């Protein structure tokens, strides 16, 4: 695992965007693994800037997102489908048919999850997987637990996640489940880039980088990935 530390949060995005830029510029067709949340937004902004400047194109790329809520209409302002379109896809030239986001309204969620992993494999696997990290060390919706998950699966949201979501949803509309790529699906990516900024992430980063590899801190599994870079600001790296 390689650790890159930047003086400010603003310096993280261009460096992380460089990873995508070199991949998009060097490969005929790229498979991108993408994340939602606050951490990747500056990187998406930087990628949009580079697209507008003619430096990169997403015409020859497919994307697979990490996760999606169960039971939320895609058009809901809080769905990850909406998030990705507002923060990246609507502003670049990716072909909508190459965008893959788990369908949280699928009737058969087991089939939806199995088909998703199969589609990633059929596409040749993810070239670069972007991740954020939860303050408890989660990646995707893989929360601390007794065992590392395998493929994409349906997960019950923890009380703390439901609690942090309560600012976005009314009680009746609050999602209780999500579909998420599993740890094994994430670990199959050829390259992984994780972004963390701010002191709230410092403890999780310490456990992920220096702690034992344990499903109690899901991100610690990344120590075993052969090609993984953490992009951190000084605050997130302050306990290393
Ligand atoms: C997002 C995701 C989550 C977030 C994590 C950090 O698709 O899967 O694991 O990456 O919760 O969220 P932020 O970046 O908002 O701190």
């Amino acid at each position: 695992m390689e650790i890159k530390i930047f003086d400010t949060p603003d310096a993280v995005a261009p460096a992380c965007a460089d990873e995508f830029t070199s991949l998009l510029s060097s490969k005929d067709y790229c498979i991108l693994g993408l994340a939602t949340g606050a951490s990747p937004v500056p990187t998406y902004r930087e990628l949009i800037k580079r697209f507008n400047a003619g430096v990169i194109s997403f015409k020859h790329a497919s994307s697979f997102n990490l996760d999606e809520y169960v039971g939320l209409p895609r058009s809901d302002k809080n769905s990850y489908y909406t998030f990705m379109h507002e923060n990246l896809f609507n502003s670049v030239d990716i072909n909508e048919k190459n965008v893959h986001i788990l369908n949280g309204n699928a009737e058969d969620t087991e089939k939806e999850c199995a088909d998703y992993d199969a589609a990633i494999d059929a596409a040749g696997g993810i070239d670069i997987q972007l991740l954020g990290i939860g303050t408890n060390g989660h990646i995707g919706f893989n929360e601390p637990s007794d065992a590392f998950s395998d493929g994409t699966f349906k997960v019950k949201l923890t009380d703390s996640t439901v609690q942090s979501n309560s600012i976005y949803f009314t009680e009746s509309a609050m999602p209780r489940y999500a579909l998420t790529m599993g740890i094994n699906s994430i670990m199959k990516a050829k390259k992984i880039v994780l972004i963390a900024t701010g002191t709230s992430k410092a403890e999780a980063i310490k456990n992920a980088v220096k702690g034992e590899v344990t499903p109690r801190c899901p991100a610690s599994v990344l120590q075993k990935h052969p090609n993984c870079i953490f992009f951190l600001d000084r605050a997130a790296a302050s306990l290393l």
Side-chain angles (χ1 to χ4, degrees):
M1 158 190 290
E2 191 184 340
I3 312 289
K4 296 193 179 190
I5 301 171
F6 300 85
D7 281 340
T8 63
D10 287 350
V12 172
C16 188
D18 284 349
E19 298 293 331
F20 284 83
T21 303
S22 56
L23 180 75
L24 289 163
S25 323
S26 65
K27 229 180 150 222
D28 288 343
Y29 201 91
C30 305
I31 311 296
L32 312 177
L34 301 176
T36 60
S39 306
V41 170
T43 297
Y44 292 154
R45 266 194 224 120
E46 181 66 27
L47 290 174
I48 292 167
K49 218 159 81 185
R50 293 181 191 193
F51 164 71
N52 287 332
V55 178
I56 50 171
S57 163
F58 294 78
K59 246 189 202 135
H60 303 293
S62 285
S63 69
F64 287 86
N65 258 81
L66 271 174
D67 41 20
E68 179 59 286
Y69 291 117
V70 166
L72 206 60
R74 283 197 148 172
S75 56
D76 191 284
K77 66 177 185 353
N78 291 311
S79 77
Y80 288 171
Y81 179 92
T82 299
F83 177 98
M84 285 309 301
H85 284 79
E86 284 181 350
N87 286 287
L88 183 64
F89 299 147
N90 289 348
S91 305
V92 296
D93 61 348
I94 196 162
N95 189 330
E96 185 64 33
K97 77 171 171 35
N98 297 331
V99 165
H100 302 88
I101 298 182
L102 281 154
N103 178 6
N105 295 297
E107 267 182 34
D108 184 344
T109 47
E110 246 174 64
K111 181 174 180 321
E112 173 68 15
C113 293
D115 287 353
Y116 201 70
D117 283 329
I120 295 173
D121 286 345
I126 289 173
D127 290 308
I128 187 166
Q129 175 67 56
L130 181 58
L131 295 177
I133 184 171
T135 51
N136 62 3
H138 75 215
I139 48 177
F141 269 121
N142 293 277
E143 300 287 358
S145 69
D146 294 334
F148 286 119
S149 58
D150 185 13
T152 299
F153 68 112
K154 179 176 173 179
V155 62
K156 188 171 180 354
L157 301 181
T158 60
D159 290 345
S160 73
T161 301
V162 171
Q163 177 66 31
S164 10
N165 280 348
S166 59
I167 50 171
Y168 303 114
F169 298 99
T170 60
E171 178 60 29
S172 60
M174 182 87 73
R176 305 283 168 177
Y177 290 89
L179 304 183
T180 182
M181 280 169 63
I183 292 294
N184 195 32
S185 329
I186 293 170
M187 288 294 277
K188 280 200 239 156
K190 292 164 198 152
K191 181 170 201 164
I192 295 180
V193 293
L194 182 146
I195 301 174
T197 55
T199 40
S200 68
K201 300 290 171 74
E203 183 75 26
I205 289 297
K206 184 183 85 178
N207 294 335
V209 174
K210 295 203 150 165
E212 62 164 322
V213 175
T214 163
R216 292 272 128 223
C217 175
S220 64
V221 76
L222 300 173
Q223 291 176 29
K224 292 189 173 288
H225 194 281
N227 191 8
C228 174
I229 310 176
F230 276 30
F231 288 84
L232 311 173
D233 70 349
R234 292 230 166 267
S238 58
L239 298 178
L240 291 182

